[in-house]
Amino acid sequence: MLLNPMVPFMGTIFSSLSFSPSENALIYIAEIQADGPKESEASPLSKYTYTPELGEGYAGKKRPGIFVFRWDAEHRDALPAVHLLRPKELPSQPTLFTQAVFATNDRIFAIGHEYTADERLLGLKFCTNRAACIWDFALPSEDNTAEVLLCEAWKRTQSSRSARCPRVHIVDGKPLSLVWMSNPVGGPHASCSTLHRHNFATNDWSDQIIVESVTDPKPDKFPGIFASLLPTEPFVQLSTSESSETFVAISSAWRSRGVVVLISLESGKVINLNPDDAEYHFSWSVLATDGGNQLVVVCSAPTTPQEVLLGKITNDRHVHWQVLVKPDLSDSLREGLASLKTSIIPIPHRYPIETVVLGPKDGSSRACITNPHGGPHGSSTTLFNIFNAVFALEGYTISMPLYTGSVGYGEMYIQKLLGRIGDLDVQDCLETVKYLSTLGITELGPGKQFLFGGSHGGFLIGHLIGQFPDVFSASVLRNPVISLGEISTSDIPDWYYEEAGLPFHAESLMTPEAYSKLYQMSPIAYVDRVQSPVLLGVGEKDLRVAPTQSKAYFHALKARKRDVTMICFKDDTHGLEGVEAGGITADASLALFNKYRK
């Protein structure tokens, strides 16, 4: 094996960086690169043998591994050593090991991502439903100089759960607890998470659950954990004169806001550190803690770009915030953002559906851009979003509907959407359009209603302009799902089945019956009814939704003499997150909306 130890594997899903308690070793994740000549001697076909990639966001990455970098702290002139860690006995199921953390100098915990029975590694980005288990590694002695260290290793959790983010609570060099999150394998790509704990004092690996999945929370109650990752250092210690209590700090969606919650390791008690304010509706995300009573967070709102804050938690659970980093805004931009306001508006008779609305304080704008989030099990929390800010500063009201299936409202509303995409979610979005016009916030009619969104948001837009062609005046679809039956090169083929209510397993094939159902649930089924102008944005390196979907839609609209433009970015992926793609998309979208606005 060949490794450049200075190039760790990047990407929060797979990466880790953990120092040993003695601080003379570091573990990290890097791509395992095969030594071509040696492999070709074993088999001339080795370098041509197919190995699945890790999916969207990780193009070209195939084999992440755990590496330990060791040095002699007392003899600085001694050369450090780099080792690849592998279990002595290979798992029965092909497994990739990532997210490694030290517990002691000779013990680490990691996540083992399992391939499916057809030797596919389903995409992990935004997907917390993949078979992944906690593994326990015992490291060989430090004087072992082998390039590959074969370790005793034990699989500690079951393959029916998707475990992630092992975090070890260490006090005075002694590990006390291991915590991690998990979700069910299969089903929706994101769901309400469970928080687990292992107590090192008992060494009992029977499941100890701190927080269960929440099914149907009351409007003002904790909706459950909706989080992809834990901070690298999540532990908070709060003390009084009588006792001390350990918490885990987690960033989670709580209805339409992102908040930081503290969860007690002992009782499972949940403390929301960020109650809503009536004016700005900030969203919060924790970056790290100091292991004591301090944490660093990022907060923002639709009218306020991201700020970094230090929070100090008092013994009575109040937080004193100090701004560490604030964006440098021009006077004109600061004044423009100050002229906007954010509202969270519930939609009657469709609980828990609500929409986040950004618009001028004086109510001068009646033209509305509806921006449905992707997923569908994602969210439009009240984070600062550059597209929404740009559109609002240009005089539009922005509506971000939290339709059925959005995270942050309990597990029941995730499950409720399965089998009903293209129907229930579409109706939810349409009702937000109608209700805002009823309130007088926006208007219906030519030149008043526009659409902007990507991925599943683009899927919804394709339905809206096809099913209700007289309502919307122009739309922008970014890497949209257009035809559910055309899975093609997607790294998440299960998504198309599960979200449509069809069973998925390794042997699944696209039968004529399945394709027929998926076609009827797709925007392409309504292409003949589309009337308004369309702008398509495509990332040519999208591994989640094949670019051929947008291209086929473009040609279908052209064949029907519709007004359609497509812009392609050869180096961008599903999120179209490049600077060039973002700027051009914003300019092109505004030009389209302004052309048809009345």
Side-chain angles (χ1 to χ4, degrees):
M1 298 295 169
L2 294 179
L3 166 74
N4 180 352
M6 301 306 292
V7 186
F9 193 93
M10 302 304 293
T12 53
I13 298 172
F14 297 100
S15 65
S16 62
L17 200 65
S18 177
F19 284 92
S20 63
S22 61
E23 297 188 353
N24 69 336
L26 174 72
I27 51 176
Y28 63 96
I29 309 301
E31 178 79 357
I32 301 171
Q33 299 180 4
D35 187 333
K38 291 183 181 179
E39 287 202 355
S40 63
E41 291 173 9
S43 169
L45 297 181
S46 294
K47 70 176 182 178
Y48 304 106
T49 301
Y50 170 67
T51 301
E53 293 187 347
L54 301 182
E56 174 62 24
Y58 302 94
K61 302 294 185 183
K62 300 179 179 182
R63 299 189 294 181
I66 303 172
F67 292 83
V68 59
F69 182 76
R70 285 173 168 166
W71 60 92
D72 189 333
E74 296 181 359
H75 302 88
R76 297 185 179 183
D77 56 341
L79 291 176
V82 178
H83 312 276
L84 170 65
L85 304 185
R86 280 184 170 163
K88 282 184 178 179
E89 296 185 14
L90 294 178
S92 57
Q93 193 76 2
T95 303
L96 297 176
F97 295 102
T98 67
Q99 292 189 3
V101 293
F102 272 108
T104 65
N105 288 327
D106 57 3
R107 189 179 186 186
I108 70 169
F109 289 91
I111 294 297
H113 300 279
E114 298 180 359
Y115 286 81
T116 53
D118 57 345
E119 296 194 11
R120 186 195 301 268
L121 189 70
L122 296 171
L124 284 159
K125 190 174 183 179
F126 303 128
C127 298
T128 55
N129 61 341
R130 309 306 188 204
C133 302
I134 298 287
W135 280 76
D136 184 351
F137 285 76
L139 298 184
S141 62
E142 293 187 11
D143 58 2
N144 191 320
T145 59
E147 187 179 48
V148 178
L149 295 184
L150 298 179
C151 309
E152 297 288 347
W154 302 269
K155 182 178 173 180
R156 296 301 193 184
T157 60
Q158 300 300 313
S159 297
S160 59
R161 301 290 298 184
S162 178
R164 64 190 182 281
C165 302
R167 301 291 185 261
V168 182
H169 183 218
I170 300 175
V171 177
D172 297 328
K174 181 180 179 180
L176 302 181
S177 299
L178 173 73
V179 300
W180 68 95
M181 295 189 293
S182 80
N183 291 66
V185 171
H189 67 87
S191 58
C192 192
S193 300
T194 300
L195 184 66
H196 305 258
R197 177 193 184 193
H198 168 66
N199 188 338
F200 284 99
T202 64
N203 204 31
D204 180 5
W205 280 96
S206 59
D207 203 7
Q208 181 183 351
I209 295 176
I210 304 173
V211 175
E212 294 267 17
S213 172
V214 177
T215 302
D216 186 16
K218 299 299 181 184
D220 59 340
K221 299 300 182 182
F222 174 58
I225 298 172
F226 291 93
S228 296
L229 299 167
L230 291 175
T232 302
E233 173 52 70
F235 299 103
V236 171
Q237 195 78 28
L238 300 181
S239 302
T240 66
S241 58
E242 300 178 351
S243 64
S244 178
E245 192 170 8
T246 304
F247 295 84
V248 177
I250 301 179
S251 309
S252 184
W254 189 311
R255 298 181 69 84
S256 54
R257 297 175 56 245
V259 301
V260 177
V261 295
L262 299 184
I263 299 177
S264 169
L265 291 187
E266 287 76 25
S267 66
K269 175 176 62 178
V270 178
I271 301 173
N272 180 3
L273 293 183
N274 313 116
D276 197 8
D277 62 280
E279 183 176 1
Y280 296 104
H281 303 292
F282 282 98
S283 278
W284 304 71
S285 178
V286 59
L287 300 178
T289 76
D290 67 349
N293 69 332
Q294 299 186 108
L295 67 168
V296 178
V297 304
V298 174
C299 84
S300 69
T303 59
T304 307
Q306 286 79 0
E307 298 178 355
V308 180
L309 289 83
L310 172 67
K312 295 184 179 181
I313 308 171
T314 63
N315 291 335
D316 58 1
R317 310 307 192 246
H318 288 96
V319 189
H320 298 295
W321 297 107
Q322 175 187 353
V323 177
L324 300 179
V325 180
K326 200 169 186 176
D328 186 15
L329 307 179
S330 66
D331 291 341
S332 60
L333 179 55
R334 187 180 298 105
E335 291 172 4
L337 291 172
S339 71
L340 305 174
K341 70 174 181 178
T342 303
S343 305
I344 301 173
I345 301 177
I347 307 303
H349 313 300
R350 300 191 78 87
Y351 180 85
I353 308 310
E354 56 189 1
T355 188
V356 178
V357 177
L358 174 65
K361 289 180 177 178
D362 60 11
S364 58
S365 173
R366 294 291 184 270
C368 180
I369 300 173
T370 297
N371 183 358
H373 63 75
H377 311 301
S379 181
S380 293
T381 56
T382 57
L383 292 167
F384 182 79
N385 178 285
I386 188 64
F387 285 109
N388 292 333
V390 167
F391 296 153
L393 290 172
E394 285 290 320
Y396 291 89
T397 293
I398 316 302
S399 171
M400 296 158 270
L402 283 304
Y403 51 83
T404 302
S406 301
V407 300
Y409 297 87
E411 181 64 17
M412 185 173 83
Y413 300 101
I414 299 287
Q415 298 292 332
K416 189 175 180 180
L417 183 61
L418 300 184
R420 299 191 64 187
I421 60 170
D423 172 23
L424 181 56
D425 45 3
V426 172
Q427 291 296 330
D428 288 340
C429 291
L430 183 66
E431 287 303 313
T432 66
V433 172
K434 292 180 178 179
Y435 186 59
L436 293 183
S437 68
T438 300
L439 295 177
I441 296 174
T442 64
E443 292 180 15
L444 298 177
K448 298 299 183 182
Q449 295 292 333
F450 303 92
L451 294 163
F452 179 91
S455 193
H456 190 80
F459 171 86
L460 294 175
I461 293 172
H463 272 290
L464 288 165
I465 61 177
Q467 293 188 43
F468 311 101
D470 297 330
V471 176
F472 304 99
S473 298
S475 58
V476 177
L477 298 79
R478 305 164 73 231
N479 286 327
V481 177
I482 297 297
S483 181
L484 291 169
E486 298 177 27
I487 296 172
S488 185
T489 57
S490 175
D491 67 330
I492 53 169
D494 59 314
W495 181 96
Y496 297 81
Y497 288 84
E498 299 281 8
E499 298 297 337
L502 296 174
F504 177 83
H505 43 78
E507 297 83 12
S508 293
L509 295 174
M510 186 57 66
T511 64
E513 295 77 17
Y515 184 86
S516 177
K517 178 179 180 178
L518 294 172
Y519 180 87
Q520 294 302 322
M521 298 176 73
S522 300
I524 195 65
Y526 300 92
V527 67
D528 289 327
R529 300 180 59 187
V530 175
Q531 299 297 325
S532 57
V534 170
L535 172 65
L536 292 164
V538 181
E540 297 277 18
K541 293 186 177 179
D542 188 348
L543 298 179
R544 181 130 300 177
V545 178
T548 52
Q549 294 234 0
S550 291
K551 293 176 181 179
Y553 194 51
F554 170 83
H555 291 296
L557 290 171
K558 279 291 186 182
R560 288 157 179 78
K561 310 300 182 185
R562 303 300 191 264
D563 183 350
V564 57
T565 301
M566 183 165 62
I567 51 178
C568 299
F569 303 93
K570 65 182 180 66
D571 294 322
D572 274 83
T573 57
H574 187 58
L576 286 178
E577 296 163 333
V579 174
E580 183 181 34
I584 291 175
T585 299
D587 290 343
S589 300
L590 274 176
L592 177 67
F593 297 153
N594 289 339
K595 180 178 180 180
Y596 292 97
R597 180 180 180 179
K598 294 182 181 179

